[in-house]
């Protein structure tokens, strides 16, 4: 059995040797309070840091059963421990030493969202952190003294602080698990309440900036709900709370520019996730099958039936199995909706800021000028009601620019100075009193959603030495073998770890696409594997940098593969 002393001896033996000799460290070491696994040693100081794990027996860790009483709590505990490990490592590890990435001790860095991740595992028997450590070198020679400091002094200090329970964290940890459990409970009650989203009284929706998802610190106006949409919900930990419950059906968010419409919609988009205490959106929840739809001209579309929205294209081009390498704003938005419903979306979120005007509306004057035979688009306004009536798909739409939507919306919320008001009756009266000559356009009743069957080699992946090389870049790009997929219009991805997991999921989905299964079946099969075998099972190596994603994002990524064939 190897222990801390054997580790020290190996380090002394390989000191000053070529970097490859670090491979001798691979293995399992028993320390006083934990077990260290050195799973994979990097090939050189510039490569991705080495993969390590530390396992603490659950009993000695001190994290009591109450923190893992439910799945929500366990996820929250793992999330909390990942954050704590990350902060502690940043404080205790000395940072870059010598060449390349030497000196770094890193764990996956979570965003404002609490997600299931592979970075931390808590079971009845243990607490285990999966992290990265850059083994230090001078030039390309092993720097054992630095390695010893990292592995035998910094790491044990980090573990002591981050993976053992300390009374001082009791309040913060309790708040973390309780808040997460409450958010899940809130979300699970939406269907029964016939609501699609909930925004609690006092929630803080505004963000620090367009590129900073931390809460706005100064001048944030807390959310206050309009009385007529106010509901009360009982939570397992937080008592009974009240807030705005957005009903099923079609909801319009109107209001002057800069009055907080998009901020509300953005909070709803991310209400599919739970947020950390202090975020301001802890009690903003949306049905988990909510999908943000936006225009994305230039994307490819493969075999999607967009005929609910687009018909009679020039030169008789098919829209029941529409192909393009270069979508327009309107066709991209039509495809996004049809593909989303195909994959299971039941709530659509749209913002005028990111929509194609001609997809959203065609007004009276335009109808007079351009005859409907010459307009392939059935605008969203003329389908939105049917989407709910026929497919049970609700919509929340931000629209400050066209009152033509009043008549089609079941509920109309006006934002004034960041505060919502229910103006449904007023708007409906205006719609009745100011009828115009706009006629409802539609090419017949809403057709059913068509299911596509992806063909063999829809995502071709060249193997090298028996493996597909997978790379991801930031949130919105992945390369599998020689296939590159870009999906920067998919707004509900929040962490690069989700993108890494999505890339592994696409690799898993690729061989299932062989012409026999529908895309929905392929997606279900992958998601079932994940729910049965865990996120870890996505990768053939145990890696700590994967985070959970939804079926809808996996569908969105596959739909944007330019190699897709149906
Ligand atoms: P709209 O979509 O109605 O034009 P936005 O949602 O983009 O407006 O909001 C405009 C600005 O107001 C943004 O800078 C946003 O951060 C800020 N804001 C939104 N809601 C609040 C709030 N509740 N308190 C303070 N500032 C807010
Ligand atoms: Mg806006």
């Amino acid at each position: 059995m190897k222990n801390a002393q054997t580790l020290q001896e190996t380090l002394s033996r390989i000191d000053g040797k070529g970097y490859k000799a670090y491979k001798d460290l691979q293995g399992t070491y028993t320390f006083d309070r934990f077990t260290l696994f050195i799973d994979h040693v990097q090939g050189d100081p510039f490569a991705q840091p080495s993969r390590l794990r530390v396992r603490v027996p659950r009993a000695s860790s001190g994290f009591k059963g109450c923190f893992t009483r439910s799945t929500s709590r366990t996820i929250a505990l793992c999330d909390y421990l990942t954050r704590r490990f990350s902060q502690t490592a940043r404080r205790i590890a000395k940072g870059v030493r010598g060449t390349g990435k030497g000196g770094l001790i890193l764990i996956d860095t979570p965003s404002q969202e609490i997600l299931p991740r592979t970075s931390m595992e808590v079971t009845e028997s243990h607490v285990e952190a999966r992290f990265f450590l850059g083994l230090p070198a001078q030039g390309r020679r092993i720097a054992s003294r630095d390695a010893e400091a990292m592995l035998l002094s910094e790491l044990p200090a980090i573990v002591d602080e981050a993976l053992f329970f300390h009374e001082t964290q009791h309040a913060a940890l309790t708040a973390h698990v309780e808040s997460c459990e409450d958010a899940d409970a809130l979300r699970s009650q939406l269907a029964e309440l016939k609501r699609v989203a909930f925004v609690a009284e006092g929630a803080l929706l505004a963000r620090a900036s367009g590129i900073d998802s931390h809460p706005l610190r100064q001048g944030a106006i807390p959310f206050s709900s309009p009385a007529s949409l106010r509901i009360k919900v009982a939570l397992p930990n937080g008592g009974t709370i009240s807030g705005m419950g957005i009903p099923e059906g079609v909801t319009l968010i109107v209001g002057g520019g800069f009055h907080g419409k998009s901020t509300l919609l953005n909070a709803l988009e991310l209400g599919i996730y739970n947020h950390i205490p202090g975020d301001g959106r802890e009690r903003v929840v949306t049905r988990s099958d909510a999908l943000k739809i936006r225009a994305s001209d230039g994307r490819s579309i493969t075999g999607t039936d967009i005929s609910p929205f687009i018909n009679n294209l020039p030169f008789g081009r098919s829209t029941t199995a529409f192909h393009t390498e270069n979508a327009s704003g309107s066709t991209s938005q039509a495809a996004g909706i049809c593909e989303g419903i195909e994959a299971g979306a039941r709530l659509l979120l749209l913002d005028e800021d990111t929509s194609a005007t001609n997809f959203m509306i065609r007004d009276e004057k335009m109808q007079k000028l351009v005859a409907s035979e010459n307009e392939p688009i059935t605008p969203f306004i003329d389908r939105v009601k049917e989407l709910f009536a026929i497919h049970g798909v609700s919509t929340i739409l931000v629209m400050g620019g066209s009152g033509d939507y009043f008549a089609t919306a079941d509920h109309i919320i006006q934002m004034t100075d960041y505060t919502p008001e229910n103006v449904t009756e007023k708007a409906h009266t205006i719609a009745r009193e100011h009828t115009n000559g706009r006629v409802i356009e539609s090419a017949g009743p809403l057709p059913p959603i068509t299911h596509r069957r992806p063909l063999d080699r829809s995502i071709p992946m060249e193997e090298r030495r028996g493996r597909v090389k997978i790379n991801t870049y930031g949130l919105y790009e992945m390369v599998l073998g020689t296939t590159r997929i870009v999906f920067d219009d998919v707004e509900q991805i929040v962490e690069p770890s989700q993108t890494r997991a999505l890339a592994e999921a696409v690799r898993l989905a690729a061989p299932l696409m062989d012409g026999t299964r529908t895309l929905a079946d392929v997606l279900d099969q992958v998601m079932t594997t994940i729910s049965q075998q865990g996120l870890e099972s996505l990768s053939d190596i145990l890696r700590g940098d994967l985070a959970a994603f939804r079926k809808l994002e996996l569908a969105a990524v596959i739909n944007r593969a330019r190699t897709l064939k149906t």
Side-chain angles (χ1 to χ4, degrees):
M1 201 62 186
K2 295 197 271 194
N3 55 26
Q5 201 188 334
T6 0
L7 181 59
Q8 196 169 21
E9 284 160 13
T10 310
L11 283 172
S12 305
R13 180 166 55 73
I14 61 176
D15 189 25
K17 291 194 177 173
Y19 201 86
K20 289 273 184 283
Y22 261 140
K23 293 275 179 203
D24 290 357
L25 291 184
Q26 235 150 265
T28 307
Y29 301 86
T30 315
F31 281 61
D32 282 347
R33 310 233 288 159
F34 60 86
T35 309
L36 170 68
F37 301 84
I38 302 184
D39 288 329
H40 178 260
V41 172
Q42 64 203 98
D44 71 78
F46 297 95
Q48 197 193 48
S50 304
R51 275 187 286 112
L52 281 70
R53 280 177 295 141
V54 159
R55 184 180 284 186
V56 174
R58 175 71 184 270
S60 60
S61 73
F63 294 102
K64 297 207 193 79
C66 63
F67 296 120
T68 49
R69 205 166 55 209
S70 63
T71 309
S72 308
R73 283 178 174 242
T74 308
I75 291 168
L77 172 62
C78 290
D79 180 90
Y80 179 88
L81 292 176
T82 300
R83 290 169 200 272
R84 192 161 168 96
F85 191 106
S86 174
Q87 286 155 6
T88 313
R90 231 174 293 152
R91 187 160 40 79
I92 291 180
K94 204 171 138 237
V96 177
R97 300 168 185 259
T99 328
K101 297 181 179 135
L104 299 176
I105 300 179
L106 303 166
I107 197 163
D108 197 18
T109 312
S111 57
Q112 293 294 100
E113 285 75 23
I114 300 175
L115 297 175
R117 298 170 220 283
T118 58
S119 55
M120 196 69 64
E121 179 181 74
V122 180
T123 66
E124 303 228 313
S125 71
H126 63 248
V127 174
E128 181 176 292
R130 292 88 178 253
F131 58 99
F132 299 92
L133 185 144
L135 287 166
Q138 290 301 332
R140 293 186 184 273
R141 310 240 145 245
I142 288 176
S144 281
R145 196 111 69 85
D146 283 339
E148 203 180 304
M150 292 177 72
L151 290 165
L152 296 166
S153 140
E154 291 173 8
L155 186 58
I158 295 167
V159 172
D160 270 348
E161 203 170 316
L163 300 185
F164 287 88
F165 178 76
H166 298 273
E167 201 48 47
T168 46
Q169 10 160 326
H170 189 264
L173 175 55
T174 304
H176 212 81
V177 297
E178 290 188 347
S179 164
C180 184
E181 191 174 50
D182 280 352
D184 280 334
L186 202 47
R187 197 176 293 102
S188 71
Q189 291 177 64
L190 289 175
E192 204 179 311
L193 295 164
K194 296 206 174 306
R195 308 283 162 149
V196 293
F198 177 86
V199 184
E201 223 59 59
L204 298 171
L205 309 186
R207 298 296 98 189
S209 81
I211 52 160
D212 183 348
S213 58
H214 291 92
L216 178 69
R217 292 264 167 245
Q218 293 212 317
I221 311 277
F223 188 83
S224 98
S225 61
S228 53
L229 290 173
R230 196 173 298 154
I231 55 170
K232 283 190 183 338
V233 189
L235 302 177
N237 309 298
T240 298
I241 61 163
S242 68
M244 178 172 82
I246 300 182
E248 294 176 346
V250 180
T251 300
L252 203 60
I253 300 172
V254 302
F258 228 62
H259 278 268
K261 304 183 297 296
S262 297
T263 303
L264 172 58
L265 194 80
N266 290 338
L268 297 175
E269 274 163 58
L270 296 183
I272 57 168
Y273 300 122
N274 298 345
H275 291 92
I276 55 172
D279 175 84
R281 299 168 296 180
E282 298 92 310
R283 289 166 175 182
V284 179
V285 298
T286 308
R287 296 175 60 131
S288 49
D289 51 11
L291 182 65
K292 172 70 182 286
I293 300 288
R294 57 168 295 163
S296 168
D297 54 327
R299 67 160 278 196
S300 66
I301 298 172
T302 307
T304 307
D305 180 359
I306 55 169
S307 64
F309 299 102
I310 320 265
N311 284 284
N312 308 323
L313 282 180
F315 309 110
R317 195 162 161 185
S318 161
T319 60
T320 52
F322 184 68
H323 287 269
T324 181
E325 278 294 319
N326 190 4
S328 62
S330 55
T331 49
S332 70
Q333 222 166 335
I337 292 173
C338 297
E339 291 163 354
I341 297 174
E342 179 188 22
R346 291 297 175 269
L347 170 63
L348 306 177
L349 305 170
L350 288 87
D351 191 329
E352 61 183 347
D353 290 352
T354 50
S355 289
T357 307
N358 61 343
F359 179 75
M360 302 310 289
I361 183 79
R362 224 161 81 83
D363 70 8
E364 179 194 1
K365 291 196 187 72
M366 197 56 81
Q367 287 181 333
K368 292 228 158 76
L369 181 70
V370 181
S372 67
E373 318 66 282
N374 294 324
E375 174 52 88
I377 303 174
T378 302
F380 189 67
I381 187 172
D382 294 326
R383 286 298 195 203
V384 66
K385 256 185 157 12
E386 281 174 292
L387 281 175
F388 182 62
I390 298 174
H391 295 303
V393 175
S394 295
T395 295
I396 301 175
L397 173 65
V398 168
M399 177 57 80
S402 171
D404 284 342
Y405 266 93
F406 291 171
T408 60
D410 301 309
H411 301 277
I412 301 156
I413 298 166
Q414 179 173 353
M415 296 299 288
T416 312
D417 300 333
Y418 315 132
T419 298
E421 187 190 344
N422 186 353
V423 295
T424 309
E425 274 180 39
K426 201 160 137 194
H428 281 170
T429 307
I430 292 172
R432 269 195 308 275
E433 287 173 358
H434 298 260
T435 49
N436 60 23
R438 183 178 191 280
V439 292
I440 293 174
E441 308 184 317
S442 98
L446 185 69
I449 294 296
T450 307
H451 281 276
R452 293 167 293 159
R453 288 175 199 277
L455 302 179
D456 210 21
R457 289 187 59 75
S458 266
I459 307 208
M461 284 182 288
E462 260 86 286
E463 289 188 5
R464 273 177 53 198
R465 286 187 234 121
R467 285 191 55 142
V468 185
K469 200 165 158 44
I470 298 183
N471 276 310
T472 61
Y473 304 92
L475 292 175
Y476 308 121
E477 185 175 348
M478 62 175 70
V479 179
L480 299 102
T482 50
T483 306
R484 176 166 173 265
I485 314 178
V486 179
F487 38 96
D488 48 9
D489 57 322
V490 180
E491 295 182 357
Q492 288 164 298
I493 298 175
V494 291
E495 292 185 14
S497 302
Q498 290 181 301
T499 307
R500 284 187 281 268
L502 280 163
E504 297 286 351
V506 172
R507 183 177 59 83
L508 206 64
L512 301 175
M513 298 192 244
D514 60 2
T516 66
R517 300 176 187 84
T518 62
L519 179 57
D521 287 341
V522 171
L523 298 168
D524 282 335
Q525 208 161 318
V526 174
M527 298 314 285
T528 305
T529 306
I530 296 172
S531 67
Q532 286 173 353
Q533 297 169 34
L535 260 182
E536 285 88 350
S537 71
L538 280 177
S539 167
D540 47 9
I541 54 170
L542 181 52
R543 51 191 289 187
D545 57 355
L546 304 179
F549 55 84
R550 302 180 306 165
K551 183 164 73 166
L552 295 178
E553 276 70 49
L554 179 57
V557 171
I558 292 173
N559 278 316
R560 281 157 184 76
R562 290 182 181 269
T563 47
L564 186 63
K565 293 187 268 295
T566 58

